[in-house]
């Protein structure tokens, strides 16, 4: 049973059906196909305003391209020290921006705050230092927690004071949306001051499709023009773009994205509650989405692995620290099997 990542999941059957349906006859290439032309309209409905959308194949491309669109080579991008852009993208944001500087910050529960950014800004307007350009947050965070609209608004206000934009790495945006924050896609983004979103879909059921969503295409007309070139130059203008767009359409259609994320989050809550019951251990961070970080104890972790359960070690959060991730196809039986096995291992110890 595999709890290593939501990336280990299959593509959802509805996505595969959409791909088969898109695989009929010829279609215009490079994003000029009907599905891609429909996409901005569909995203605009979801976000309750006119947005501009660029489908890409990976989250790294969405992040690096959207940050590069707003950040000059002499810019500083503030983010959490654990942010995917800082630790898991092999320097793509630095490459795509032409050498901008990432400024990783510490923060509770995977979150950064405006005062922490304020404290890290230095030598503004001084030609000898890189200059504030963007704040990037992950939603959900890398610890599976969720920024509330008020927290995002505070970050956006702080960013504005220094003429910075607010970018969201929404690789798990759907999981954040249904986390119980009782909110809407609009409230979680542009209404709170977000300028640009890397909209994730792959982890939550797609085969491989993400999108850059720009919330103020009129205000940011230059960015709209440039992003087309940046995406092509970055190798993410797919010739058979219809297959990216078909995935995104099906993902947003019939609320598949919300249903998948709700299921994954429910399974995570079940898993966290079960582990708390049998191990008497609270998770390292509040379980608000589909990731659990918990110190299982080295013996329990080893025993679970020996029993065939897969998950990643997560050093720095205690003895036998690990990360367990649920996804759209995790079953209650799989969750209960892990909890039961952990309980048995724990009883054998005492
Ligand atoms: C927070 C976050 N951002 C972005 C990504 C996108 O990564 P990829 O380029 O592998 O699609 C991931 C994937 O693990 C992620 O966890």
């Amino acid at each position: 049973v595999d709890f290593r990542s939501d990336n280990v999941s299959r593509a959802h059957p509805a996505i595969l059906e959409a791909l088969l349906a898109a695989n009929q006859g010829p279609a215009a290439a490079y994003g000029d196909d009907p599905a891609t032309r429909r996409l901005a309209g569909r995203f605009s409905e979801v976000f309750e305003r006119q947005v501009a959308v660029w489908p890409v194949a990976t989250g790294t491309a969405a992040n690096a391209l959207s940050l590069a669109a707003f950040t000059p080579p002499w810019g500083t991008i503030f983010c959490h020290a654990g942010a995917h852009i800082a630790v898991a993208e092999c320097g793509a944001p630095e490459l795509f921006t032409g050498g901008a500087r990432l400024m990783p910050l510490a923060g509770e529960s995977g979150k950064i705050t405006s005062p922490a950014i304020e404290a890290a800004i230095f030598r503004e307007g001084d030609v000898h230092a890189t200059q504030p350009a963007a704040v990037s947050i992950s939603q959900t965070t890398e610890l599976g927690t969720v920024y509330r609209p008020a927290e995002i608004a505070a970050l956006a206000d702080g960013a504005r004071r220094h003429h910075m934009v607010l970018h969201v790495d929404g690789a798990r945006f759907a999981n954040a949306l249904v986390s119980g924050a009782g909110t809407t896609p609009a409230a979680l983004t542009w209404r709170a001051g977000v300028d640009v979103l890397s909209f994730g879909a792959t982890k939550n059921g797609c085969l491989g499709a993400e999108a850059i969503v720009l919330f103020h295409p009129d205000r940011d007309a230059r960015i709209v023009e440039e992003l087309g070139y940046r995406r092509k130059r970055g190798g993410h203008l797919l010739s058979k773009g219809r297959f990216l767009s078909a995935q995104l359409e099906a993902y947003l259609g019939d609320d598949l994205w919300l249903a998948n994320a709700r299921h994954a989050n429910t399974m995570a809550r079940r898993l966290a509650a079960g582990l708390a019951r049998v191990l008497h251990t609270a998770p390292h961070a509040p379980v608000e989405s589909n990731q659990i970080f918990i110190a299982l104890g080295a013996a329990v972790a080893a025993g679970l692995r020996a029993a065939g359960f897969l998950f990643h070690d997560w050093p720095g959060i205690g003895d036998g620290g690990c990360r367990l991730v649920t996804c759209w196809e995790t079953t209650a039986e799989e969750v209960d099997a892990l909890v039961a096995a952990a309980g048995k291992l724990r009883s054998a110890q005492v």
Side-chain angles (χ1 to χ4, degrees):
V1 183
D2 202 330
F3 291 95
R4 282 176 300 176
S5 170
D6 29 17
N7 279 331
V8 305
S9 63
R10 294 173 300 159
H12 191 280
I15 299 293
L16 295 181
E17 279 163 28
L19 284 168
L20 284 177
N23 197 34
Q24 304 294 326
Y30 298 109
D32 212 15
D33 60 280
T36 305
R37 276 192 262 111
R38 283 194 299 267
L39 217 50
R42 184 68 189 104
F43 271 88
S44 299
E45 276 169 27
V46 166
F47 284 97
E48 300 179 61
R49 72 170 290 130
Q50 194 63 44
V51 299
V53 180
W54 292 264
V56 291
T58 68
T60 298
N63 286 339
L65 286 168
S66 52
L67 285 169
F70 285 100
T71 309
W74 54 89
T76 311
I77 299 165
F78 297 90
C79 62
H80 193 274
H84 200 264
I85 58 167
V87 301
E89 299 191 352
C90 199
E94 292 92 328
L95 174 70
F96 280 50
T97 53
R101 180 174 187 193
L102 290 194
M103 183 76 78
L105 304 172
E108 283 291 300
S109 300
K111 296 181 183 179
I112 52 173
T113 61
S114 215
I117 295 166
E118 199 71 42
I121 292 175
F122 69 106
R123 297 173 81 172
E124 200 172 0
D126 179 342
V127 74
H128 298 283
T130 56
Q131 295 299 307
V135 172
S136 177
I137 59 173
S138 302
Q139 182 74 305
T140 67
T141 73
E142 325 293 337
L143 282 182
T145 54
V146 175
Y147 284 96
R148 303 289 185 275
E151 293 173 301
I152 300 169
L155 283 162
D157 280 352
R160 292 285 172 272
R161 280 200 291 281
H162 297 276
H163 310 289
M164 291 192 280
V165 294
L166 181 56
H167 163 257
V168 172
D169 174 354
R172 298 187 176 90
F173 185 72
N175 300 92
L177 187 61
V178 302
S179 68
T183 188
T184 63
L188 217 48
T189 54
W190 63 271
R191 282 208 176 104
V194 174
D195 297 289
V196 62
L197 167 71
S198 299
F199 180 88
T202 306
K203 291 173 190 295
N204 191 35
C206 280
L207 185 68
E210 316 270 314
I212 299 167
V213 182
L214 186 75
F215 292 110
H216 301 283
D218 290 341
R219 184 196 72 188
D220 296 327
R222 187 183 56 83
I223 305 284
V224 172
E225 194 185 331
E226 285 182 10
L227 257 170
Y229 297 113
R230 287 184 186 279
R231 183 178 57 163
K232 172 67 188 178
R233 194 171 151 90
H236 276 265
L237 175 60
L238 271 67
S239 58
K240 295 191 180 176
R242 64 168 136 164
F243 295 114
L244 279 189
S245 302
Q247 291 182 64
L248 291 167
E249 261 197 322
Y251 183 66
L252 293 174
D254 292 333
D255 289 344
L256 178 68
W257 63 312
L258 304 179
N260 282 358
R262 262 189 212 110
H263 176 80
N265 288 8
T266 303
M267 289 300 109
R269 277 199 301 276
R270 185 180 180 111
L271 184 53
L275 288 174
R277 195 173 61 244
V278 299
L279 298 180
H280 312 291
T281 308
H284 173 67
V287 177
E288 296 178 345
S289 59
N290 65 324
Q291 299 192 75
I292 300 170
F293 297 82
I294 187 167
L296 291 173
V300 171
L304 286 173
R305 284 217 169 88
F309 293 98
L310 299 174
F311 48 87
H312 283 307
D313 286 326
W314 210 263
I317 62 165
D319 180 39
C322 73
R323 180 186 80 161
L324 299 157
V325 188
T326 57
C327 64
W328 68 269
E329 61 176 347
T330 303
T331 64
E333 290 71 32
E334 289 170 338
V335 167
D336 295 349
L338 187 141
V339 171
K344 270 197 200 127
L345 289 159
R346 177 63 191 244
S347 318
Q349 281 177 336
V350 288

